[in-house]
Amino acid sequence: MWQRINKNKYRFLFLALFIPLAILVRGYQYGSGDQMIQLPILYKMSDATLFPTDYLFPVTNSNKTFLYPIILFLSKLFGDSMYAAFFFIYILTNVFLYIGLYWLSLLITKNEKTSVVNLIFFVFALPVAGSATTIVETSFIPRLVGTV
């Protein structure tokens, strides 16, 4: 039993060091990708006087998502900073992504070294062949929440 507790402490320590390092290496981009559409919608939701004649917003009023109210709540919590809200969710989803990848790889392979190598592949935002996406996003997008 003590060996198992000791092993889990080392796993936790490894993940606690690896995750921030991976996020620092990959970096973060604000206002790119899907955020180019999301940010005006969020700004309009927080201040109804913005963009009074834009044709995009009557269409988005019919859109139901749980993510926009959460981002607006977090932005208020961080002093009306959309950047801080997006960055916080980005960090949070990446933590769960890396923990999930590690444990899934460990469950499938039952090999610590393979699980670590698997995580290393997800540090760099490598392009997916034949598409405009990367294997790991460098900005927060709703697809990242769905992945986690």
Side-chain angles (χ1 to χ4, degrees), residues 26-144:
R26 190 173 57 247
Y28 177 71
Q29 293 177 352
Y30 178 71
S32 65
D34 292 351
Q35 290 180 8
M36 289 186 281
I37 297 169
Q38 293 169 352
L39 285 171
I41 293 170
L42 288 165
Y43 286 129
K44 176 74 172 180
M45 288 174 73
S46 66
D47 183 5
T49 62
L50 291 175
F51 316 114
T53 60
D54 198 316
Y55 291 113
L56 171 69
F57 299 106
V59 175
T60 59
N61 287 338
S62 63
N63 227 355
K64 299 294 179 200
T65 177
F66 69 92
L67 195 57
Y68 291 162
I70 291 172
I71 292 172
L72 287 173
F73 171 76
L74 288 173
S75 74
K76 299 284 184 222
L77 196 67
F78 291 120
D80 286 330
S81 172
M82 289 287 180
Y83 178 85
F86 272 88
F87 187 65
F88 176 76
I89 297 173
Y90 176 75
I91 296 291
L92 191 66
T93 53
N94 270 281
V95 166
F96 286 114
L97 175 71
Y98 282 119
I99 290 171
L101 285 171
Y102 178 80
W103 286 106
L104 182 64
S105 178
L106 194 61
L107 180 72
I108 292 170
T109 65
K110 296 180 180 27
N111 188 332
E112 292 277 336
K113 293 177 185 172
T114 306
S115 299
V116 171
V117 170
N118 180 39
L119 287 181
I120 292 171
F121 282 119
F122 285 90
V123 171
F124 304 103
L126 302 171
V128 175
S131 72
T133 61
T134 56
I135 58 171
V136 181
E137 297 296 334
T138 55
S139 65
F140 172 72
I141 56 173
R143 181 175 62 227
L144 187 59

